[in-house]
Amino acid sequence: MRIDRVQNSTGVGLMMTLAVLVWTGTAQAQSLDEIIEAAVEATGGRQAIERIQTVRFTGSFSMDTEFGPIDGDVEVVIIPNQKMYQGLFSDLFTQRSAWDGSVAWQSDDLTGTVELTGTAAANLRNQATLDWFQAYQNPASGDARYAKGDDEQVDGRDHFVVEISAGGIPYRYFLDKETYLVNQLMLEIDVPEIGGMIEVTVRVSDYKTFEGVQMATRTQLSIPGIYELDMRYSETVINGPVDQAIFTKP
């Protein structure tokens, strides 16, 4: 109902109309289906997302550690629902990790190359899903389960919370109520090397449009007491050639 279409021009009629508008706006609660559909549309829509066959991000990173700050270059490559790769390169260390479609691995200067299992492997596999909202009620999402959590605030702004469990990992996605874009996600992952479960907070920002799809060009990852990682992507290539060798375990 629009105020400019109200036939009754009296003050009482206008007040009644405003009362209806206020009641309607506050009484309506969005379902999980409605939130996810709005998120897909805000990102660019299903057809635009489905046209993406490969994504390659390159840029720089900075990492705060107990040993001091580390700066370097970053590369992330995703073949949606199939493979993913991430490389961090600095003067102090090199770390690469990937999911090749069946095996997850990590290679760095300290531990060499190891095959990952459990939630560490599942998290890499999950990162091959370009858009978890696009994957909702889609066989490509595999064993993923979705639920609507309680609304929360992030940086003073109201957010919807969508809980997604995939590969034994619980994720909580925070979507800005005005833009329907993800600003933050949180997850718990088991890391036996450091004594068990850890909580990871990921902030995503600086969205830009590539081939009709909104993508974050900054990712900030926080593991309290371990490190803070800030990755900024200066170049994003959609559907470009990909060297398949980067996914293969060395």
Side-chain angles (χ1 to χ4, degrees):
M1 180 184 294
R2 292 180 52 188
I3 295 174
D4 59 1
R5 295 183 61 187
V6 176
Q7 306 256 330
N8 188 342
S9 61
T10 66
V12 174
L14 179 57
M15 290 300 294
M16 289 180 64
T17 301
L18 288 172
V20 170
L21 287 173
V22 171
W23 180 85
T24 301
T26 56
Q28 287 181 337
Q30 290 192 274
S31 68
L32 175 65
D33 288 356
E34 291 170 331
I35 293 170
I36 288 178
E37 191 58 34
V40 171
E41 289 305 312
T43 301
R46 297 185 183 280
Q47 291 185 348
I49 298 171
E50 289 172 356
R51 283 195 292 268
I52 295 180
Q53 302 300 309
T54 65
V55 183
R56 181 173 181 263
F57 301 103
T58 54
S60 61
F61 79 87
S62 60
M63 180 186 295
D64 291 330
T65 73
E66 59 181 325
F67 307 107
I70 300 173
D71 298 312
D73 299 321
V74 59
E75 177 184 18
V76 176
V77 181
I78 298 172
I79 299 179
N81 305 317
Q82 297 181 44
K83 302 178 181 182
M84 78 80 55
Y85 166 89
Q86 176 179 287
L88 301 175
F89 310 95
S90 76
D91 293 337
L92 297 178
F93 80 99
T94 295
Q95 182 187 80
R96 295 179 296 141
S97 56
W99 166 256
D100 69 1
S102 59
V103 173
W105 57 270
Q106 180 173 296
S107 181
D108 60 48
D109 300 329
L110 295 177
T111 61
T113 300
V114 296
E115 184 171 319
L116 301 178
T117 59
T119 54
N123 189 48
L124 278 176
R125 182 200 69 186
N126 292 342
Q127 291 180 57
T129 300
L130 184 64
D131 189 310
W132 275 104
F133 303 119
Q134 168 77 355
Y136 179 57
Q137 294 184 337
N138 186 314
S141 64
D143 62 353
R145 299 190 304 275
Y146 294 72
K148 183 180 182 298
D150 294 333
D151 296 350
E152 294 192 28
Q153 284 202 332
V154 177
D155 296 334
R157 293 175 64 87
D158 292 331
H159 284 67
F160 295 111
V161 177
V162 176
E163 300 171 349
I164 303 175
S165 177
I169 303 175
Y171 299 87
R172 301 176 70 229
Y173 283 81
F174 296 76
L175 296 87
D176 187 287
K177 284 193 175 184
E178 292 186 10
T179 66
Y180 285 90
L181 295 175
V182 173
N183 287 342
Q184 176 177 286
L185 70 93
M186 301 179 72
L187 65 142
E188 290 186 350
I189 188 169
D190 186 20
V191 183
E193 293 82 359
I194 62 173
M197 299 297 293
I198 61 171
E199 184 177 75
V200 181
T201 300
V202 183
R203 304 292 297 270
V204 292
S205 59
D206 297 356
Y207 278 89
K208 296 181 181 179
T209 303
F210 302 96
E211 301 296 330
V213 177
Q214 293 258 31
M215 294 186 182
T217 61
R218 184 181 184 186
T219 299
Q220 296 166 276
L221 187 149
S222 174
I223 303 178
I226 302 179
Y227 67 81
E228 308 283 329
L229 176 63
D230 188 352
M231 297 182 290
R232 298 172 183 263
Y233 307 127
S234 56
E235 183 178 16
T236 300
V237 177
I238 306 296
N239 296 339
V242 171
D243 180 6
Q244 294 291 326
I246 63 174
F247 304 107
T248 304
K249 178 183 173 184

